[in-house]
Amino acid sequence: MIEALIAVVVTIVCLGAVYAMAGSRVVKQYERGLVFRLGRLRPGLRGPGFVMIVPFVDRMRKVSMQIVTLPIPAQEGITRDNVTVRVDAVVYFKVVAPADAVIQVEDYRFAVSQMAQTSLRSIIGKSELDDLLSNREKLNQGLELMIDSPAVEWGVTIDRVEIKDVSLPETMKRSMARQAEAARDRRARVINADAELQASRKLAQAAEQMSDHPSALQLRLLQTVGAVAAEKNSTLVLPFPVELLRFLERAQSGMAPQAPAGGPAPEAPSGAVDGAGAAAEAGEDEDVPAPVDPIDPLGAVEQMELGDSVVPADGPEAVDPGDTASPEELEPPRPDRPDPES
């Protein structure tokens, strides 16, 4: 009798343990539990911790309340300015109403993914290429509103949507690169022209300042020469300053002889007067003819012909008749003619 009672108690305990094990559930901190009793949703949510349900009668569905990162596959479309692009994005969403997420839609993850792809293709068709490349913040907000509108009925809220990448055709990339290069070239030319304009104004001011002080121009010339001379592989050609010529001219005019007080002016030599007069009449840039030689004015020595007599400067009476040379004596001997002296 006692043994039978012990056996019954043990059986009941075992059945209770099996029942407890079959009906025990553990809900994690980031999850919420929905209990369906015979297919009907029980009111209330099961919070995190240990939860007991009626085994074989109740069923629990756990829903994660974490933010889900859902990548959107790359979608190819044509923009409003007729450019073919491929755009991929990522959606961040979370469940705020577990009952609606389980009851209103079959699979809320798949539903959000399909809605995101459709909205992305719609955004591509409504936008221009420049907006996709530079104004992504506005497009992200528009895409978020398009996805969030139907997702509210599913108990899902869209946290944010980000466009990750925009793929362009190679021809479009080359065209954009040429456009950017041309724009930068234009900016560089404008900057160079502005710099030249400012430099020309400064140079004009410097020229006006140096015109008042000619010595400043010489100092600047010497500075330039010193800068060029620092390079050992350069050939330096130093121009003769015009100011130095003017200085020498003024010094020469100051050294001219002056007449004594109360006396006649000194006469200059005839050769000097002729040379100075010729130089004054011809000017600095014209060639001055050579002065006439008083010893040989006609160049008789150079213009002497065969048979002419050499006339000394003292006169024709000083010429010895025997000094006249005949043409035969002046002609060089020929091998075919016999020597007259032999």
Side-chain angles (χ1 to χ4, degrees):
M1 184 71 182
I2 297 175
E3 294 178 356
L5 183 59
I6 294 174
V8 172
V9 172
V10 170
T11 303
I12 294 174
V13 171
C14 291
L15 291 176
V18 171
Y19 181 84
M21 293 177 62
S24 63
R25 296 289 186 275
V26 176
V27 180
K28 298 180 181 179
Q29 182 66 36
Y30 55 86
E31 293 178 341
R32 297 295 183 269
L34 299 175
V35 178
F36 292 88
R37 178 168 294 177
L38 299 178
R40 187 181 181 86
L41 178 65
R42 299 288 296 172
L45 298 175
R46 302 299 187 268
F50 183 78
V51 179
M52 286 295 299
I53 61 175
V54 179
F56 309 110
V57 177
D58 295 344
R59 295 186 60 186
M60 178 177 286
R61 175 76 178 272
K62 298 179 182 180
V63 179
S64 177
M65 305 295 292
Q66 292 177 320
I67 295 178
V68 181
T69 303
L70 181 65
I72 303 176
Q75 301 297 315
E76 184 173 356
I78 300 176
T79 61
R80 192 167 61 180
D81 50 354
N82 299 325
V83 179
T84 304
V85 294
R86 290 177 59 89
V87 183
D88 56 349
V90 59
V91 179
Y92 300 91
F93 70 94
K94 64 179 180 178
V95 178
V96 294
D100 294 338
V102 174
I103 295 174
Q104 298 295 334
V105 64
E106 179 181 3
D107 187 355
Y108 64 90
R109 290 176 179 265
F110 182 75
V112 171
S113 175
Q114 294 300 315
M115 179 57 65
Q117 295 181 28
T118 305
S119 302
L120 182 59
R121 295 177 67 89
S122 178
I123 285 291
I124 293 174
K126 294 179 181 179
S127 305
E128 295 183 357
L129 180 61
D130 294 338
D131 296 335
L132 289 175
L133 297 176
S134 60
N135 197 11
R136 292 189 181 183
E137 189 66 26
K138 183 178 179 180
L139 297 180
N140 293 338
Q141 295 177 0
L143 189 59
E144 179 180 350
L145 291 175
M146 293 181 65
I147 302 175
D148 190 59
S149 297
V152 174
E153 300 178 359
W154 305 336
V156 178
T157 179
I158 305 300
D159 187 69
R160 61 186 306 172
V161 181
E162 294 288 342
I163 295 177
K164 292 196 302 182
D165 187 23
V166 179
S167 300
L168 300 175
E170 294 297 329
T171 54
M172 180 58 65
K173 290 181 180 179
R174 290 193 293 268
S175 300
M176 294 177 65
R178 290 195 297 269
Q179 180 183 0
E181 184 178 359
R184 290 185 178 275
D185 190 13
R186 179 181 62 84
R187 291 174 56 188
R189 291 185 179 182
V190 170
I191 292 174
N192 290 334
D194 191 11
E196 291 293 338
L197 178 60
Q198 295 180 6
S200 62
R201 292 175 180 175
K202 295 297 181 181
L203 289 176
Q205 296 178 3
E208 293 178 359
Q209 188 70 20
M210 289 183 180
S211 62
D212 298 335
H213 303 280
S215 59
L217 182 61
Q218 296 302 319
L219 293 177
R220 182 57 183 164
L221 177 61
L222 294 177
Q223 291 179 359
T224 305
V225 170
V228 175
E231 299 292 336
K232 297 182 180 180
N233 57 352
S234 301
T235 301
L236 180 62
V237 179
L238 181 63
F240 199 73
V242 181
E243 282 73 11
L244 183 57
L245 293 177
R246 294 176 180 174
F247 174 75
L248 295 177
E249 182 180 358
R250 289 194 298 268
Q252 184 177 4
S253 61
M255 292 175 60
Q258 299 179 359
E267 296 181 359
S270 59
V273 173
D274 295 340
E281 293 177 0
E284 295 181 359
D285 297 336
E286 298 181 0
D287 296 337
V288 179
V292 180
D293 190 358
I295 299 175
D296 189 11
L298 300 178
V301 178
E302 297 178 0
Q303 299 178 1
M304 182 180 64
E305 297 179 357
L306 295 177
D308 296 339
S309 60
V310 179
V311 180
D314 296 340
E317 65 274 8
V319 178
D320 189 2
D323 293 339
T324 303
S326 62
E328 290 80 0
E329 294 178 356
L330 295 176
E331 184 179 3
R334 296 181 180 179
D336 54 350
R337 296 178 59 184
D339 190 0
E341 298 181 355
S342 61

